[in-house]
């Protein structure tokens, strides 16, 4: 299956998840959209894919969806709720790795394949985990700041796209440098950063219909205006 077809499928799944979660609550958005995608980044970000003749990492898809979820939270629940999302994500990802580390402490009779996979996860992920934390913190700070500046002056879709692209402009170099500086050349990292940034901005546009629907279809009684 081609990268393009997989990307279309991933966008469809993420779009459905954003809309479905938004119909439940802010807690569902944080857990199902943001936390789940950040965990996927920690697990699979080292995996690379080729798109348009260039190489980037699979985590681009997941992070674009996490940012889209934050945009829904910003519009429907406000800046304070978005800040709380960042704190919750940190706790969730740390808990995941602590629990995997704990499982590896148990003596087991069988299940060598599972234990080997868990050891591989912990062995290869420290750089990616640090990169994810640093990039998420800085990127989300920029997302919220740009949102606060632009949203009072612009329609929701414009503010969301500008804030998302500003977020990606900070997140992308921080993540790629921290995650791949040990294993890849500077020229490769620079090319991957450029492709990753353009890809995530494109994904922000592709996910925007789902974000608009998620904002409008909320059932929390809050009056939402998109103008």
């Amino acid at each position: 299956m081609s990268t393009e077809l997989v990307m279309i499928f991933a966008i469809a799944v993420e779009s459905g998840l954003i809309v479905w979660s938004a119909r439940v609550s802010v807690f569902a958005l944080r857990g199902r959209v943001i936390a789940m995608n950040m965990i996927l980044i920690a697990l699979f970000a080292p995996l690379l894919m080729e798109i348009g003749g260039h190489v980037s990492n699979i985590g681009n898809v997941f992070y674009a969806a996490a940012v889209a979820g934050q945009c829904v939270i910003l519009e429907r629940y406000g800046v304070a709720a978005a800040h709380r999302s960042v704190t919750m994500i940190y706790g969730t990802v740390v808990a995941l790795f602590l629990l995997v580390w704990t499982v590896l402490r148990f003596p087991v009779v069988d299940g060598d394949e599972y234990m080997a996979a868990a050891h591989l996860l912990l062995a290869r992920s420290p750089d990616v985990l640090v990169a994810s934390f640093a990039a998420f913190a800085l990127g989300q700070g920029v997302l919220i700041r740009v949102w606060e500046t632009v949203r009072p002056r612009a329609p929701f879709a414009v503010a969301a796209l500008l804030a998302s692209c500003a977020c990606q402009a900070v997140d992308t170099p921080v993540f790629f440098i921290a995650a791949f500086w040990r294993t890849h050349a500077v020229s490769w990292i620079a090319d991957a950063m450029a492709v990753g940034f353009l890809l995530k901005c494109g994904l922000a546009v592709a996910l925007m219909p789902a974000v608009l629907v998620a904002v409008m279809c909320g059932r929390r009684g809050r009056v939402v205006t998109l103008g």
Side-chain angles (χ1 to χ4, degrees):
M1 185 178 294
S2 69
T3 301
E4 289 75 15
L5 287 177
V6 176
M7 192 72 68
I8 292 171
F9 179 74
I11 292 169
V13 172
E14 293 283 10
S15 296
L17 187 63
I18 290 169
V19 173
W20 178 46
S21 299
R23 292 181 58 85
V24 180
S25 69
V26 66
F27 302 105
L29 276 167
R30 288 172 181 159
R32 294 173 182 168
V33 177
I34 303 173
M36 185 186 69
N37 277 289
M38 292 305 295
I39 289 172
L40 288 171
I41 290 171
L43 294 176
F44 297 115
L47 298 180
L48 303 175
M49 63 181 180
E50 183 176 346
I51 183 167
H54 298 272
V55 175
S56 191
N57 75 312
I58 293 175
N60 290 325
V61 181
F62 305 134
Y63 192 68
V67 172
Q70 277 286 73
C71 288
V72 176
I73 289 174
L74 281 165
E75 178 70 6
R76 284 185 52 189
Y77 299 100
V79 170
H83 280 298
R84 287 194 292 271
S85 294
V86 177
T87 302
M88 194 208 78
I89 301 315
Y90 286 157
T92 301
V93 177
V94 169
L96 168 70
F97 280 86
L98 285 176
L99 288 171
V100 172
W101 182 88
T102 301
V103 168
L104 292 176
R105 309 279 77 77
F106 283 97
V108 294
V109 176
D110 56 8
D112 290 341
E113 295 85 358
Y114 294 101
M115 298 299 279
H119 277 291
L120 179 62
L121 169 63
L122 292 184
R124 78 176 185 180
S125 293
D127 282 351
V128 174
L129 185 60
V130 170
S132 298
F133 268 58
F136 187 71
L138 294 172
Q140 292 300 305
V142 170
L143 176 78
I144 294 170
R145 180 63 60 87
V146 173
W147 172 270
E148 290 180 301
T149 303
V150 176
R151 182 64 181 101
R153 303 172 176 82
F156 166 71
V158 174
L161 287 174
L162 288 177
S164 296
C165 291
C167 166
Q168 305 298 4
V170 173
D171 170 88
T172 303
V174 172
F175 176 81
F176 275 93
I177 292 171
F180 296 108
W181 69 276
R182 294 178 187 271
T183 56
H184 292 78
V186 173
S187 59
W188 182 94
I189 294 175
D191 184 68
M193 285 193 301
V195 174
F197 172 71
L198 294 174
L199 177 58
K200 286 187 284 188
C201 289
L203 287 166
V205 175
L207 291 167
M208 185 52 60
V211 170
L212 291 170
V213 172
V215 169
M216 291 187 292
C217 75
R219 299 188 301 185
R220 286 298 163 190
R222 174 177 170 176
V223 176
V224 176
T225 60
L226 300 182

